[in-house]
Amino acid sequence: ENFTLNMIATSLPMTDSLKASSRSSLSQKQGDRFIPSRSVANRDLCHHNLLSTAQEEDSNLLSEEVESQYKSTLAKSIFGEDVASPEEHKILALKNKAPAPSLAYQNSLKVLYSQNLSSQKRSAVTVTSDSYQTLDAPGIVDDYYLNLLDWSSANILAIALGSSIFLLDCATSTPRSLYEYEETTVTSLSWCPSNANYLAVGLDNGVVHLFDVARGTPIRKLEGHQGRVGSISWNGFILSTGSFDSTIRNWDVRAREPLVSVFSGHSS
């Protein structure tokens, strides 16, 4: 009884000052989402909640009803009458709760998650591990850094075999020779994605040829690399070529002066 009366007596004179601090702290802005804000949390109430466990161990003589009434009376006298349940007050207040939507609000995305997709059957795609056709490639250069094969949007397969370029019509399985060089080796080739009639070919001597496949002859010669051209890539009508000389050259094949830019410093 002495312990109970002393706690109440010492807490009553502090009521007005703590009420004012509690109201001012609650009126401030909320804190960051992940960083606790001291201005949001009621520090006096948090301190009370942290020490409530230790106080419960020392008040075992009180009945549960008297103890609950005592805690509620003490909390209201310290923190104000607006505190209904002090034990539910959060020690770390991160942000306010999200406001409730209006009664007329309709979630337009709700239908995406409420549809039953179990009735839709997906057809399984079976990919066989066996090849349906085997091609002979005599003279193909065994080099990881070369790009000696490319498939066009017209279902034409281009293959570089040494100094020769062969085309295979995959619809009819008909091969034909496109061109054969005399003193150099083909090191890369790539079809133009916007026009399957044009094929870019990189050579071991650093030269890049642009072929018109229908005519079977090179129509453009791009010079500037000092090493073999091992990679070719298209972006519209911009042709990028990578060489063993540590440069990447970008060409506009439509322009009179085709060289657009040079990137130096790469390694292949």
Side-chain angles (χ1 to χ4, degrees), residues 90-251:
K90 294 182 178 179
I91 296 177
L92 299 179
L94 300 179
K95 65 176 183 178
N96 286 332
K97 292 183 178 180
S102 61
L103 297 178
Y105 174 73
Q106 295 290 336
N107 189 356
S108 59
L109 299 178
K110 186 176 181 181
V111 66
L112 297 177
Y113 303 98
S114 60
Q115 289 181 345
N116 186 7
L117 301 179
S118 60
S119 60
Q120 300 180 0
K121 295 182 179 180
R122 297 182 178 180
S123 58
V125 179
T126 303
V127 179
T128 179
S129 58
D130 299 330
S131 60
Y132 68 91
Q133 189 174 6
T134 303
L135 305 176
D136 291 331
I140 191 170
V141 180
D142 185 10
D143 193 328
Y144 174 80
Y145 295 101
L146 304 184
N147 295 273
L148 306 178
L149 184 147
D150 195 30
W151 211 315
S152 75
S153 58
N155 204 18
I156 303 296
L157 185 66
I159 309 172
L161 301 178
S163 59
S164 303
I165 305 173
F166 288 88
L167 304 180
L168 175 67
D169 190 341
C170 297
T172 60
S173 299
T174 303
R176 69 183 181 94
S177 175
L178 176 65
Y179 198 81
E180 183 175 357
Y181 293 93
E182 296 181 356
E183 299 180 353
T184 188
T185 303
V186 179
T187 54
S188 60
L189 44 80
S190 177
W191 291 98
C192 178
S194 58
N195 192 332
N197 188 49
Y198 296 113
L199 177 67
V201 177
L203 303 178
D204 187 59
N205 58 7
V207 177
V208 178
H209 281 159
L210 183 62
F211 276 84
D212 185 337
V213 176
R215 295 165 54 184
T217 56
I219 59 175
R220 196 78 190 259
K221 183 179 181 180
L222 306 176
E223 297 180 296
H225 285 298
Q226 302 301 317
R228 68 180 186 187
V229 180
S231 61
I232 299 176
S233 180
W234 290 88
N235 183 14
F237 287 96
I238 301 298
L239 182 66
S240 299
T241 57
S243 173
F244 193 69
D245 61 1
S246 300
T247 63
I248 298 175
R249 294 178 178 264
N250 300 308
W251 317 83

Side-chain angles (χ1 to χ4, degrees), residues 6 16 21 24 56-57 73 78 82 93 106 113 141 159 164 177 196 210 236 249 263:
N6 289 335
D16 295 336
S21 64
S24 62
E56 288 177 359
E57 297 177 356
T73 304
I78 297 176
D82 56 343
Q106 295 290 336
Y113 303 98
V141 180
I159 309 172
S164 303
S177 175
L210 183 62
R249 294 178 178 264
F263 300 149

